[in-house]
């Protein structure tokens, strides 16, 4: 196996790992809805992750805080705004259309990424990449059609708010993927995650206060444990893995690989929250798995493509 192929395989596996870790977001969030508002959940999980990164930088690596002006603007402000949009929108998506529905709406993103990566980053828009993006998008759509809204009513946000939140989260996810493909090779995985998280938590906090929905303190030990789990998994581990992926492979295949999330999210929802997946939903999940597996086989044999020039 050549070094280039090994790099791409590692990148694809990192994207798979990120998707699998993100798959725990829905079930953990659903378990917290009876304890605190959805908007507070998004704020606290990013704040906890940010505090961990700041502590790590202060104790072990002061280089984390040394960033040029472009990094602060592009990643801190721009990436932070995308994080803020995602955190608020995705919580409303889960609350309105359920775990499987929210994940399905989110994963219209691979098609958006494939097209925008060609326009913005000049990455190849091959027929196979387009086909795989469409297959996984249709697969997650079938997951919604064959899924259930059970367990979502606890947050009382409604289906319309859930759909709007899901589509906005997809848009923010797509642009975050493109930004990471550009920024991670230049600033490093940890620094990009720190800048995004810091900008995101500040913007989320300001928006919620102005909106009249200031974050509420977690009311119990159970709430803190759930938030710590979200921060450790969906904020830190998943983003470390995904940023490591886009450092090694292009944005489009990374986005396709991460669509393993709705498979895991749907299965966890069935096991823990009595949400149901009908036959059509099973077909959709199989399409997602098939698209991801095909992408792995194809992308693993290609030579690595360098990130776009500054």
């Amino acid at each position: 196996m050549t070094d280039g192929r090994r790099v791409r395989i590692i990148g694809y596996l990192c994207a798979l790992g990120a998707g699998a870790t993100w798959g725990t977001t829905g079930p953990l969030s659903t378990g917290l809805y009876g304890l605190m508002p959805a908007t507070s959940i998004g704020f606290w999980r990013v704040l906890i992750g940010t505090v961990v990164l700041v502590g790590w930088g202060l104790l072990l690596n002061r280089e984390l805080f040394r960033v040029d002006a472009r990094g602060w603007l592009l990643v801190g402000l721009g990436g932070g705004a995308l994080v803020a949009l995602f955190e608020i929108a995705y919580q409303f998506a889960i609350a309105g259309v359920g775990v499987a529905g929210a994940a399905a709406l989110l994963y219209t993103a691979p098609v958006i990424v494939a097209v925008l990566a060609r326009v913005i980053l000049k990455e190849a828009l091959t027929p196979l990449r387009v086909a795989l993006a469409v297959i996984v998008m249709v697969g997650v759509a079938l997951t919604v059609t064959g899924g259930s809204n059970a367990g979502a009513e606890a947050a009382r946000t409604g289906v319309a708010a859930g759909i709007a939140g899901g589509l906005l989260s997809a848009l923010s996810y797509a642009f975050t993927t493109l930004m990471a493909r550009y920024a991670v090779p230049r600033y490093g995985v940890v620094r990009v995650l720190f800048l995004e998280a810091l900008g995101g938590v500040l913007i989320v906090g300001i928006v919620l206060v102005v909106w009249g929905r200031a974050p509420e303190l977690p009311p119990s030990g159970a709430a803190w444990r759930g938030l710590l789990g979200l921060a450790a998994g969906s904020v830190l581990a998943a983003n470390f893995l995904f940023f490591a992926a886009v450092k090694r492979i292009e944005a489009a295949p990374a986005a396709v690989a991460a669509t393993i999330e709705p498979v895991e999210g749907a299965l966890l929802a069935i096991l823990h929250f009595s949400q149901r997946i009908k036959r059509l939903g099973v077909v959709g999940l199989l399409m997602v798995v098939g698209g991801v597996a095909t992408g792995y086989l194809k992308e693993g044999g290609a030579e690595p493509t360098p990130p776009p020039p500054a």
Side-chain angles (χ1 to χ4, degrees), residues 102-192:
L105 289 166
L106 171 62
Y107 281 104
T108 57
V111 175
I112 302 173
V113 170
V115 174
L116 292 181
R118 174 58 181 171
V119 175
I120 298 174
L121 302 179
K122 308 304 180 184
E123 292 184 359
L125 186 63
T126 64
L128 179 61
R129 286 184 177 177
V130 174
L132 291 178
V134 171
I135 286 170
V136 297
M137 185 183 72
V138 173
V140 290
L142 289 177
T143 302
V144 173
T145 305
S148 168
N149 194 37
E153 295 81 3
R156 300 176 182 174
T157 62
V159 173
I163 293 173
L167 294 176
L168 283 173
S169 65
L171 192 62
S172 65
Y173 172 70
F175 277 103
T176 297
T177 301
L178 299 177
M179 186 278 297
R181 173 65 178 160
Y182 174 87
V184 168
R186 290 163 176 80
Y187 299 106
V189 172
V190 181
R191 190 176 284 118
V192 169

Side-chain angles (χ1 to χ4, degrees), residues 6-31:
R6 184 180 296 107
V7 166
R8 294 190 65 83
I9 289 175
I10 292 172
Y12 207 83
L13 290 176
C14 284
L16 284 171
T21 307
W22 275 322
T24 64
T25 303
L28 282 173
S29 297
T30 301

Side-chain angles (χ1 to χ4, degrees), residues 178-243:
L178 299 177
M179 186 278 297
R181 173 65 178 160
Y182 174 87
V184 168
R186 290 163 176 80
Y187 299 106
V189 172
V190 181
R191 190 176 284 118
V192 169
L193 179 54
F194 163 68
L195 290 172
E196 271 198 354
L198 180 62
V201 75
L202 291 174
I203 294 171
V204 168
I206 292 170
V207 169
L208 292 181
V209 170
V210 172
W211 192 9
R213 300 192 180 192
E216 297 181 6
L217 283 170
S220 65
W224 277 111
R225 287 191 295 273
L227 289 168
L228 287 171
L230 279 172
S234 61
V235 175
L236 295 174
N239 281 293
F240 273 126
L241 287 166
F242 193 72
F243 289 163

Side-chain angles (χ1 to χ4, degrees), residues 53 56 61-79 178-196 240 243-244 246-247 307-310:
L53 290 169
W56 180 82
N61 186 8
R62 296 294 180 92
E63 291 293 322
L64 179 68
F65 309 113
R66 294 174 183 167
V67 187
D68 59 24
R70 177 183 290 185
W72 282 108
L73 288 173
L74 173 66
V75 188
L77 183 60
L178 299 177
M179 186 278 297
R181 173 65 178 160
Y182 174 87
V184 168
R186 290 163 176 80
Y187 299 106
V189 172
V190 181
R191 190 176 284 118
V192 169
L193 179 54
F194 163 68
L195 290 172
E196 271 198 354
F240 273 126
F243 289 163
V246 295
K247 186 177 181 179

